[in-house]
Amino acid sequence: MPTTIRDIAKKLNLSVSTVSYALNNGPRSVPEAVKLKVLELAKELDYRPNRIAKSMVTGRTYTIGIVPSDQFENFIISPFILQCMNGIINECERCKYDVLLFTRFGATEEFDISNSISDGRVDGLIFLAPLVNSNLIEIADRRGIPFVITHRSHERELPTFTLDNVQIVRDAINHLVSLGHRKIGHIYGSLVLQDGIERRKAFEDLLEDKTIISQPNWIQPGNFVREEGYTSALKILSDPDRPTALFCSNDEMAVGAYKAAEELGLNIPEDISIMGVDNAVWSHLIKPPLTTISQNLHDLGITAVTELTKFIEKGERPQSQHFGTELIVRASTSSPKEK
Amino acid sequence: MPTTIRDIAKKLNLSVSTVSYALNNGPRSVPEAVKLKVLELAKELDYRPNRIAKSMVTGRTYTIGIVPSDQFENFIISPFILQCMNGIINECERCKYDVLLFTRFGATEEFDISNSISDGRVDGLIFLAPLVNSNLIEIADRRGIPFVITHRSHERELPTFTLDNVQIVRDAINHLVSLGHRKIGHIYGSLVLQDGIERRKAFEDLLEDKTIISQPNWIQPGNFVREEGYTSALKILSDPDRPTALFCSNDEMAVGAYKAAEELGLNIPEDISIMGVDNAVWSHLIKPPLTTISQNLHDLGITAVTELTKFIEKGERPQSQHFGTELIVRASTSSPKEK
DNA sequence: CTGAAAGCGCTTACAG
DNA sequence: CTGAAAGCGCTTACAG
């Protein structure tokens, strides 16, 4: 059995309160001599405070909980989650919070999940790109648990940290149009994620402006994953009347499209311009380097933590924030051969 | 205030024990009618069990703690940590454990860190590639906390999950030698990490066999990061008498070497063959696709969790394991122009 | 100034 | 069968 505060008190003929105050260096003052004796014995007995017990009484855990968006399988590998997580972790490090990653999302009933995220183990939650139909947020809200949301907005005034997807699509398409493209295809991301929905909608809205031309067959799903990007690109690009450019909702799918183009004997960008979104760490390494949109997810992660902890510690209402993006032009896009 | 078990007991004129047994569906049996009433009221009052309180009495948390190797900054982004983490998380999901990521490694004193990892919040620890000079392991061991170690062996019989670095280097160099290379350079990884040390030593041991030839200037540090791989490759490759092949201790540094080669106007693999280790998710995408060694870190992560939880739950001693690797030949290596 | 005691929300041995 | 009580290891209001 590990040493407790009582063990120390007993051996030193002190009260547990004195020992507690000595170990915590306050808030009640303890004579220096007594304090020294306590610290010495604590060290000798290898005493370490039980944080669970402390949390039990203080109600604080100094832990931030991360609620993943979906079934958990491979979620952390996703480059976009990753960049966000990196910001979150770095900022938690700075704010002296640990990070609890909730698992058990695949198997359990929603009832269990909702209990898991509100069972006292964390001071606050980050909903990391929650599904649009997830009602965990409402539950957390109703229960009064501090939380913030990334990559999803909300009809009510909840704290959300999002990208401007309309801007992203506009920047991408403007870039392609400025190169002379009019026939543009789109591989869209998962439609249970707001980014997937909004980017597709923004793309379709541009069709109404007649800025660009597309066809039903040129707009295909890709679920944000490489393999499906490949399959869909294959469909789009084998069309005899194919687009001259392909806008993919993320870099993973764009890479899948690279493979499809290669198999069909199409050169990038001469035969087909390809764009992604994310500015993945490898996007400048591939051949040709990928034109993409950088999202600054690292800052988004940092801000999510900053705002959440400010709320936890000072009760200041988190300010929702829209994060800017940046077009990064590389060699995967150029003017089309024929206009 | 959230509803507690006492609230329910009071309203229903029952004892807390009955309510507890009803909610937990055992171990003591409770009449069906009573159980139903309890569950109904629990739902009505939005009761959810306080896990902190439960842990306090049971001593279990169903949480695995991850101890990162170093200062935390950007640690999760490292592709090798990432693959490992992915296995860990997937397996925790399966075993119904949550994952606590300890932060606060940069700033705090070692005393605090060692307390943090042994303060009751986790059932067991995974030391993820600990520094060779870290004594956190000894502390955890002395305190009787269940743990396993990855990417580091130990003089005593502690549970470790490691790669066969001698095999890795031998496979890599054999591959290069079989292509006809004799003059081989090496960019080694961080020497506070066992993988960095062992791979460098294995490389130097091969020099004694006279299988290959190297020179002091051809062996440079890279700290496992891209930028330093670039700098060191620049040094090695600007040598008029330069090697014909470069073995880098990981893919990140190899990519750095790509950049150096490009700047020096050297073609890969015609002028310089380059190899990495890791089989990073992007390693087949770059141009030319990188010849590398795949480590199956996902399985390593899974096994670490499996063995740890087996120990926690059944007291079965974790079995140390050495993980095999696989040479993946791609286009970044070929026969040297001149022998 | 410092000790005895209550209490955080549970589980579970102990009584009846 | 079920309730009253102890206890997990702390913090902190309450007494003296």
Side-chain angles (χ1 to χ4, degrees):
Chain A
M1 287 295 98
T3 307
T4 71
I5 219 174
R6 280 192 68 198
D7 299 332
I8 297 177
K10 218 171 270 178
K11 292 220 183 195
L12 252 33
N13 251 322
L14 291 166
S15 69
V16 289
S17 33
T18 302
V19 174
S20 170
Y21 293 126
L23 288 168
N24 290 320
N25 206 20
R28 184 200 277 183
S29 76
V30 175
E32 206 55 37
V34 176
K35 198 185 288 181
L36 279 174
K37 269 213 296 208
V38 169
L39 291 177
E40 195 184 353
L41 186 60
K43 189 157 197 177
E44 193 186 318
L45 298 178
D46 193 31
Y47 170 78
R48 48 235 138 87
N50 183 320
R51 275 270 288 269
I52 296 280
K54 181 166 185 169
S55 292
M56 174 95 264
V57 18
T58 62
R60 289 296 307 278
T61 60
Y62 289 94
T63 305
I64 298 290
I66 306 289
V67 186
S69 61
D70 205 345
Q71 49 303 44
F72 214 93
E73 189 86 9
N74 298 331
F75 117 104
I76 207 177
I77 280 268
S78 141
F80 122 86
I81 287 294
L82 200 63
Q83 291 181 51
C84 217
M85 277 294 289
N86 194 32
I88 290 173
I89 291 173
N90 286 342
E91 183 63 8
C92 279
E93 155 92 33
R94 213 185 56 74
C95 300
K96 303 191 187 304
Y97 279 73
D98 288 314
V99 174
L100 185 66
L101 238 46
F102 291 104
T103 69
R104 278 171 291 160
F105 272 67
T108 47
E109 302 294 304
E110 188 179 289
F111 180 72
D112 298 321
I113 300 169
S114 68
N115 278 1
S116 180
I117 61 174
S118 59
D119 62 7
R121 288 181 295 166
V122 299
D123 291 336
L125 297 170
I126 297 179
F127 287 100
L128 208 53
L131 303 188
V132 287
N133 61 8
S134 162
N135 55 2
L136 284 177
I137 293 171
E138 332 298 321
I139 294 176
D141 193 34
R142 196 183 331 124
R143 291 181 173 167
I145 298 162
F147 66 86
V148 296
I149 306 167
T150 79
H151 299 88
R152 205 188 113 177
S153 51
H154 199 278
E155 39 304 359
R156 291 209 319 288
E157 290 265 310
L158 300 179
T160 57
F161 302 95
T162 49
L163 283 328
D164 190 335
N165 284 309
V166 172
Q167 189 63 45
I168 287 175
V169 176
R170 189 156 294 167
D171 285 353
I173 303 304
N174 276 350
H175 167 65
L176 293 172
V177 167
S178 76
L179 289 171
H181 292 276
R182 294 213 63 204
K183 295 159 64 179
I184 303 179
H186 177 43
I187 300 184
Y188 56 87
S190 168
L191 297 183
V192 289
L193 256 27
Q194 183 164 305
D195 286 344
I197 296 171
E198 287 188 348
R199 289 176 199 167
R200 175 175 153 176
K201 179 167 186 323
F203 181 81
E204 287 175 340
D205 285 351
L206 289 178
L207 292 179
E208 300 194 350
D209 293 358
K210 310 277 186 206
T211 337
I212 56 169
I213 300 169
S214 200
Q215 295 185 3
N217 183 47
W218 297 354
I219 303 179
Q220 296 279 349
N223 222 11
F224 285 134
V225 300
R226 204 179 283 192
E227 187 53 39
E228 297 185 36
Y230 161 73
T231 320
S232 283
L234 222 44
K235 273 191 209 136
I236 297 172
L237 299 179
S238 18
D239 191 332
D241 177 28
R242 56 177 159 75
T244 59
L246 198 49
F247 168 57
C248 305
S249 261
N250 76 352
D251 289 353
E252 281 288 321
M253 298 191 295
V255 159
Y258 270 48
K259 191 177 162 207
E262 188 187 340
E263 284 184 15
L264 294 170
L266 300 174
N267 290 321
I268 309 169
E270 294 81 7
D271 301 316
I272 179 78
S273 285
I274 295 181
M275 285 195 67
V277 178
D278 266 355
N279 193 24
V281 286
W282 41 260
S283 62
H284 68 288
L285 296 173
I286 64 179
K287 182 75 185 191
L290 180 65
T291 296
T292 186
I293 309 256
S294 161
Q295 306 186 57
N296 211 354
L297 295 168
H298 189 260
D299 278 4
L300 190 151
I302 288 180
T303 308
V305 173
T306 312
E307 292 293 313
L308 179 57
T309 54
K310 247 185 4 197
F311 179 64
I312 292 170
E313 294 174 2
K314 308 185 193 161
E316 291 176 27
R317 236 192 113 101
Q319 295 303 310
S320 289
Q321 212 168 306
H322 230 49
F323 282 77
T325 54
E326 189 189 354
L327 173 69
I328 299 188
V329 178
R330 299 204 186 99
S332 69
T333 48
S334 72
S335 295
K337 272 199 291 204
E338 7 120 30
K339 299 213 176 167
Chain B
M1 287 292 99
T3 306
T4 72
I5 218 173
R6 279 191 68 197
D7 299 331
I8 298 177
K10 219 170 268 177
K11 293 219 183 194
L12 252 32
N13 252 321
L14 289 167
S15 70
V16 290
S17 33
T18 302
V19 174
S20 171
Y21 293 125
L23 288 167
N24 290 321
N25 206 18
R28 185 200 274 183
S29 75
V30 175
E32 205 56 34
V34 176
K35 197 185 291 181
L36 279 173
K37 269 213 294 207
V38 169
L39 291 177
E40 196 184 352
L41 186 60
K43 190 157 198 177
E44 193 186 317
L45 299 178
D46 193 31
Y47 170 79
R48 48 236 138 86
N50 182 320
R51 274 271 290 270
I52 296 278
K54 181 166 184 168
S55 292
M56 174 94 264
V57 16
T58 62
R60 289 296 306 280
T61 60
Y62 289 93
T63 304
I64 299 290
I66 306 289
V67 186
S69 60
D70 207 344
Q71 51 298 50
F72 216 92
E73 190 87 7
N74 297 332
F75 118 104
I76 207 176
I77 280 268
S78 140
F80 122 87
I81 288 294
L82 199 63
Q83 291 181 53
C84 218
M85 277 293 289
N86 195 30
I88 289 173
I89 291 173
N90 285 342
E91 183 64 9
C92 280
E93 155 93 34
R94 214 186 56 75
C95 299
K96 304 190 186 303
Y97 279 73
D98 288 314
V99 175
L100 185 67
L101 239 46
F102 291 104
T103 68
R104 278 171 290 161
F105 272 68
T108 48
E109 303 294 302
E110 189 177 289
F111 181 72
D112 298 324
I113 301 168
S114 69
N115 278 2
S116 180
I117 61 175
S118 60
D119 62 8
R121 288 180 296 165
V122 299
D123 291 336
L125 296 169
I126 297 179
F127 287 101
L128 209 54
L131 302 188
V132 288
N133 62 7
S134 161
N135 56 1
L136 284 177
I137 293 171
E138 332 297 320
I139 295 176
D141 193 33
R142 195 183 332 123
R143 292 180 174 169
I145 297 161
F147 66 86
V148 296
I149 306 167
T150 79
H151 300 87
R152 205 188 114 177
S153 52
H154 199 278
E155 39 302 1
R156 292 208 318 289
E157 290 266 309
L158 300 178
T160 58
F161 302 95
T162 50
L163 283 327
D164 190 335
N165 284 310
V166 172
Q167 189 63 45
I168 286 175
V169 176
R170 189 155 296 166
D171 284 353
I173 303 304
N174 276 350
H175 167 65
L176 293 172
V177 167
S178 75
L179 288 171
H181 292 276
R182 295 213 63 204
K183 295 159 67 179
I184 303 179
H186 177 43
I187 300 183
Y188 55 89
S190 167
L191 297 182
V192 288
L193 255 24
Q194 184 165 305
D195 286 344
I197 296 171
E198 286 188 351
R199 287 177 200 167
R200 175 174 154 176
K201 179 169 186 318
F203 181 81
E204 287 175 340
D205 286 351
L206 288 177
L207 292 178
E208 300 195 350
D209 294 358
K210 311 277 186 206
T211 337
I212 56 169
I213 299 168
S214 201
Q215 294 184 4
N217 183 46
W218 297 354
I219 303 180
Q220 297 279 349
N223 223 12
F224 284 134
V225 299
R226 203 179 282 191
E227 188 54 36
E228 297 185 36
Y230 161 74
T231 321
S232 283
L234 223 44
K235 273 190 208 136
I236 297 172
L237 298 179
S238 19
D239 191 333
D241 177 28
R242 58 177 157 78
T244 59
L246 199 49
F247 168 57
C248 304
S249 261
N250 76 352
D251 289 353
E252 281 289 321
M253 297 190 296
V255 159
Y258 270 47
K259 189 177 165 207
E262 188 187 341
E263 285 185 14
L264 295 170
L266 299 174
N267 289 322
I268 309 169
E270 295 79 6
D271 302 316
I272 179 77
S273 285
I274 295 181
M275 284 194 68
V277 178
D278 267 356
N279 192 25
V281 287
W282 41 261
S283 61
H284 70 288
L285 296 174
I286 64 179
K287 182 77 186 188
L290 180 65
T291 296
T292 186
I293 310 256
S294 160
Q295 306 186 56
N296 211 354
L297 294 167
H298 189 260
D299 277 5
L300 189 150
I302 288 179
T303 307
V305 173
T306 312
E307 293 292 313
L308 179 56
T309 54
K310 249 183 6 198
F311 180 63
I312 292 169
E313 294 174 2
K314 308 184 192 163
E316 289 175 28
R317 235 193 113 101
Q319 296 301 310
S320 289
Q321 211 167 305
H322 230 49
F323 282 78
T325 54
E326 189 189 353
L327 173 69
I328 298 189
V329 178
R330 299 204 186 99
S332 69
T333 49
S334 71
S335 295
K337 273 201 289 205
E338 7 118 32
K339 299 209 177 175

